[in-house]
Amino acid sequence: FRFHKVLFRIYTNYTDITDLPSTIFCDRLMKEYETLLVPGSCFDIENSLRIGYAFETTHLRDGMNQLGKFLAKLEQEAR
């Protein structure tokens, strides 16, 4: 086991796409796209996500691609 130093953290709001609570958003993202983000509600910042990066760039790129697909799906559901 090796500890990684987090290189950065981003908090981002998604209310322009959906009004899902952040725990439900992150739960669906994990179940549907096998991508893990931290709900903003864990930090008293509801309707937001925390993205932390400390691993290979490919992991971040893959995760952001999966997040993009999920956001597109949510946009379709909202129509």
Side-chain angles (χ1 to χ4, degrees):
F1 183 76
R2 197 171 106 194
F3 287 99
H4 293 274
K5 189 176 190 180
V6 174
L7 301 176
F8 68 83
R9 289 183 200 119
I10 296 172
Y11 294 88
T12 185
N13 182 288
Y14 56 80
T15 54
D16 57 331
I17 296 172
T18 183
D19 61 353
L20 285 174
S22 60
T23 53
I24 293 172
F25 184 104
C26 290
D27 188 49
R28 281 189 58 189
L29 178 64
M30 183 62 184
K31 288 177 180 173
E32 297 174 29
Y33 290 89
E34 298 181 343
T35 301
L36 179 64
L37 295 178
V38 181
S41 61
C42 292
F43 307 97
D44 294 324
I45 312 171
E46 187 53 78
N47 298 109
S48 67
L49 311 166
R50 186 184 85 174
I51 301 168
Y53 171 68
F55 299 101
E56 299 292 327
T57 304
T58 54
H59 294 300
L60 177 62
R61 187 177 304 119
D62 293 345
M64 293 298 96
N65 286 334
Q66 294 297 83
L67 176 59
K69 291 175 188 176
F70 181 59
L71 291 170
K73 180 180 179 179
L74 291 175
E75 282 184 313
Q76 288 292 332
E77 289 175 3
R79 292 183 186 169

